[in-house]
Amino acid sequence: MTMTHTQSRFNSTLTSQCQNCSLSALCLPIALADEDINRLDQIIERKKPLKKGDFLFRQGEAFDSVYAVRSGTLKTFNITSYGEEQITGFYCPSELVGLSGIDSNIYPVSAKALETTTVCEIPFSHLEELSSQIPSLKHQLFKVMSRKISDDQQMMVLLGKKNADEKVASFLLNLSTRFKKRGYSASAFRLSMSRGEIGNYLGLAVETVSRVITRFQKSELIHVDGKEIEIIDFPEIQKLVGVASDCGKIANI
Amino acid sequence: MTMTHTQSRFNSTLTSQCQNCSLSALCLPIALADEDINRLDQIIERKKPLKKGDFLFRQGEAFDSVYAVRSGTLKTFNITSYGEEQITGFYCPSELVGLSGIDSNIYPVSAKALETTTVCEIPFSHLEELSSQIPSLKHQLFKVMSRKISDDQQMMVLLGKKNADEKVASFLLNLSTRFKKRGYSASAFRLSMSRGEIGNYLGLAVETVSRVITRFQKSELIHVDGKEIEIIDFPEIQKLVGVASDCGKIANI
DNA sequence: GGTAAATCTTGATCTAGGTCAGAAAGAGCC
DNA sequence: GGCTCTTTCTGACCTAGATCAAGATTTACC
């Protein structure tokens, strides 16, 4: 294993890199004490950037690491029985990719860069070991995985019950929320994925995505210029989504 | 907390109950040493059975425990913005319910019994604490959550890409696999959920589920008698599913 | 900077599965 | 055993979104 080698190349500064990272408030280190961040920092390897279209890992490969996105965007996808791609998620900075590989020790999906993307590689065996020593890190890991489970379930609701307008509105609002959390504008952002990829992810044909976006633009819910999106009428978009995003707070049957 | 009280009532025998449980080979204790099973056993509370229609927990309630199903079946579901139910999962014996509550400390779904059902309540804070002391338990927990993530992603593929026949075939095959793992017949079993609930889960109308099942019966893929299902032509059902279930082994692009 | 390839848009048509309606078969319940 | 309530089945119709087709625009690459 050449890890120490690579580490010395990337981690040569004395101060923790995680501590300096603008994403530390969102990524794993949240709620860690300074000395613990340093220990986490030791096991993390900063990889050189992926170019658009590069694979981070491929479906079927041996699982050994999870990855935190530092910049750029990734998509994960399955190849279905007849060779078509099914996108299962998009990953923005501070988000963790690869957690689904823990169970079988094999990545059940492929991960590919949608644009130039940098990631931190976190060897899972080290992370697991460290999590025994740092309870708050373990808790954080459980939380991240739990969050992924409930997010995926929201996605199942979207795929199973929503119509095209609701799907696209949910998608835009979801991105908006994620950008906002990271300190970027919640109303204006750039889509790093193609219309085709959006459709694939949402269970819609490309043409439908295009038509819905055009329609939203005409009804002045959003303003579109190619991949640049500006959400103009938040209340209306939220109404379409059904504000199901926080239905945890809604009264029960 | 009245736990010790309740424990003494349910856990009074000296031998570990987990150890005697027929599900221990599938549930959390897998890969645990005897003394560790005993420690896990101490924190588990066997609850009295739920009757059909009883809630185990409700969307929005404070999260404090995960539950292992001992017998019977549960469904979890969201209430969407306009009051309809969206089923996000069915849970059979040995399966763990409630993991999605860890992140927000609130159950993001409700869980309801489909028939008389017994569960083991596992207070999460205790489980988490114990997992620090027993690395294999921690690993097992990570695996269970990871498995849930990849299963849910398979479900997203199903909802986003499959047609009605493929959805129903996948559903039947999935149940079959789960029953088999537990030592029951893989080919003949009883559906504990209604056609309506199947449709809800698969993103189909009741009528469509009914029609597909009838069609499968006519083409002699399955034999149906009310809720009793017998899978007759496994190869054909698998062909419909596309054997996408183990596409992890398929070559990557 | 120019050309080929990919992506996006828009219109016209088609269809899988939804919706509506009613009959048949179970499941509780007194 | 009869009554009601729920679930399941089946047929007739309809619609949201897929598919097909063909331009328009963007992106990538020499």
Side-chain angles (χ1 to χ4, degrees):
Chain A
M1 203 171 283
T2 63
M3 239 205 65
T4 45
H5 206 74
T6 324
Q7 268 188 349
S8 64
R9 237 181 80 222
F10 285 90
N11 278 5
S12 53
T13 54
L14 285 173
T15 57
S16 161
Q17 296 215 10
C18 281
Q19 217 148 33
N20 297 336
C21 176
S22 62
L23 298 169
S24 67
L26 299 164
C27 175
L28 274 178
I30 194 170
L32 290 197
D34 284 3
E35 66 262 40
D36 291 336
I37 295 192
N38 276 313
R39 291 162 79 191
L40 175 61
D41 202 67
Q42 294 306 309
I43 70 167
I44 292 181
E45 181 179 347
R46 277 86 196 165
K47 309 259 286 185
K48 66 172 197 298
L50 298 166
K51 289 195 301 293
K52 177 173 179 174
D54 286 352
F55 281 91
L56 178 58
F57 51 77
R58 285 162 190 262
Q59 186 173 326
E61 278 180 7
F63 164 83
D64 40 40
S65 296
V66 298
Y67 297 86
V69 180
R70 280 169 71 81
S71 66
T73 324
L74 292 167
K75 67 173 172 184
T76 52
F77 58 96
N78 270 177
I79 301 300
T80 64
S81 32
Y82 279 100
E84 27 162 22
E85 168 177 325
Q86 165 70 42
I87 297 174
T88 54
F90 296 111
Y91 294 81
C92 297
S94 87
E95 294 171 349
L96 240 46
V97 202
L99 293 167
S100 56
I102 299 169
D103 175 54
S104 57
N105 269 308
I106 281 178
Y107 293 107
V109 291
S110 298
K112 202 178 205 175
L114 293 181
E115 57 192 323
T116 303
T117 297
T118 55
V119 300
C120 295
E121 174 171 5
I122 313 174
F124 187 70
S125 58
H126 292 211
L127 182 60
E128 198 174 4
E129 206 178 302
L130 196 58
S131 76
S132 298
Q133 296 155 31
I134 310 175
S136 61
L137 176 62
K138 173 166 51 64
H139 187 69
Q140 185 65 8
L141 249 177
F142 283 135
K143 279 187 68 146
V144 168
M145 296 187 74
S146 167
R147 174 62 183 271
K148 177 74 183 151
I149 293 171
S150 59
D151 285 352
D152 284 354
Q153 277 169 357
Q154 282 303 317
M155 190 64 197
M156 286 167 51
V157 175
L158 177 145
L159 289 168
K161 285 271 174 301
K162 296 187 177 180
N163 64 27
D165 283 13
E166 292 165 345
K167 284 179 178 180
V168 174
S170 303
F171 179 71
L172 293 176
L173 208 52
N174 178 274
L175 281 185
S176 159
T177 309
R178 285 152 80 182
F179 285 126
K180 186 180 181 182
K181 197 183 289 177
R182 209 139 9 89
Y184 295 118
S185 167
S187 57
F189 47 87
R190 183 169 198 288
L191 300 175
S192 45
M193 65 292 290
S194 70
R195 304 285 194 269
E197 287 166 327
I198 296 173
N200 182 303
Y201 180 58
L202 298 177
L204 295 173
V206 206
E207 295 93 327
T208 306
V209 174
S210 182
R211 275 187 257 266
V212 171
I213 288 182
T214 307
R215 189 141 26 82
F216 280 3
Q217 156 122 283
K218 278 185 183 142
S219 9
E220 293 182 309
L221 304 184
I222 61 177
H223 180 260
V224 189
D225 176 20
K227 305 226 160 198
E228 301 291 337
I229 298 281
E230 188 181 357
I231 300 182
I232 296 171
D233 192 343
F234 262 98
E236 205 55 35
I237 293 276
Q238 276 161 340
K239 209 195 287 178
L240 268 173
V241 174
V243 199
S245 27
D246 46 8
C247 58
K249 292 144 203 159
I250 288 174
N252 313 303
I253 285 189
Chain B
M1 203 172 285
T2 63
M3 243 207 61
T4 45
H5 206 75
T6 326
Q7 269 188 347
S8 63
R9 236 181 80 222
F10 285 90
N11 279 4
S12 52
T13 55
L14 284 174
T15 58
S16 163
Q17 297 215 10
C18 281
Q19 216 147 34
N20 297 335
C21 176
S22 62
L23 297 171
S24 68
L26 299 164
C27 175
L28 273 177
I30 194 173
L32 290 196
D34 284 5
E35 66 262 40
D36 291 336
I37 295 192
N38 275 314
R39 290 164 80 191
L40 175 61
D41 203 66
Q42 294 307 307
I43 69 166
I44 293 181
E45 182 178 346
R46 278 83 197 166
K47 308 259 286 187
K48 66 172 197 299
L50 298 166
K51 290 195 303 291
K52 178 174 177 170
D54 286 351
F55 281 90
L56 178 58
F57 51 77
R58 286 161 189 263
Q59 187 174 327
E61 278 179 8
F63 164 83
D64 40 40
S65 296
V66 297
Y67 297 86
V69 180
R70 281 169 69 83
S71 66
T73 324
L74 292 168
K75 66 173 174 186
T76 52
F77 58 96
N78 270 177
I79 300 302
T80 64
S81 32
Y82 278 99
E84 28 162 22
E85 168 177 326
Q86 164 70 39
I87 296 175
T88 54
F90 297 111
Y91 294 81
C92 298
S94 88
E95 295 171 349
L96 240 46
V97 203
L99 293 168
S100 55
I102 299 170
D103 175 54
S104 57
N105 269 307
I106 279 178
Y107 293 107
V109 291
S110 298
K112 202 177 204 175
L114 293 181
E115 56 192 323
T116 303
T117 298
T118 55
V119 299
C120 295
E121 175 172 4
I122 313 173
F124 188 71
S125 58
H126 292 212
L127 181 60
E128 198 175 2
E129 207 177 303
L130 197 57
S131 77
S132 297
Q133 297 154 31
I134 310 174
S136 61
L137 176 62
K138 174 166 51 66
H139 188 69
Q140 185 66 9
L141 249 177
F142 282 136
K143 279 186 69 148
V144 168
M145 295 186 76
S146 167
R147 174 62 182 270
K148 177 74 182 150
I149 292 171
S150 58
D151 285 353
D152 283 354
Q153 278 169 356
Q154 282 303 317
M155 190 63 196
M156 284 166 50
V157 175
L158 178 145
L159 289 168
K161 287 271 174 301
K162 296 187 177 179
N163 64 28
D165 283 14
E166 293 165 346
K167 283 180 178 181
V168 174
S170 302
F171 179 71
L172 294 176
L173 207 53
N174 177 274
L175 281 185
S176 160
T177 308
R178 284 152 80 181
F179 285 127
K180 187 180 180 183
K181 195 183 290 176
R182 207 141 9 89
Y184 295 119
S185 166
S187 58
F189 46 87
R190 182 168 200 289
L191 300 174
S192 45
M193 64 293 291
S194 70
R195 303 284 192 269
E197 286 167 327
I198 295 173
N200 183 304
Y201 180 58
L202 298 178
L204 296 173
V206 206
E207 296 92 328
T208 306
V209 175
S210 181
R211 275 186 258 263
V212 171
I213 289 182
T214 306
R215 190 140 28 82
F216 281 2
Q217 156 122 282
K218 278 185 185 147
S219 8
E220 293 181 310
L221 304 185
I222 60 177
H223 181 259
V224 188
D225 177 19
K227 306 224 160 203
E228 301 292 337
I229 298 282
E230 188 182 356
I231 300 182
I232 296 171
D233 191 345
F234 261 99
E236 204 55 37
I237 293 276
Q238 275 162 339
K239 210 196 287 177
L240 268 173
V241 173
V243 197
S245 27
D246 45 9
C247 58
K249 291 143 204 158
I250 288 174
N252 313 303
I253 283 189

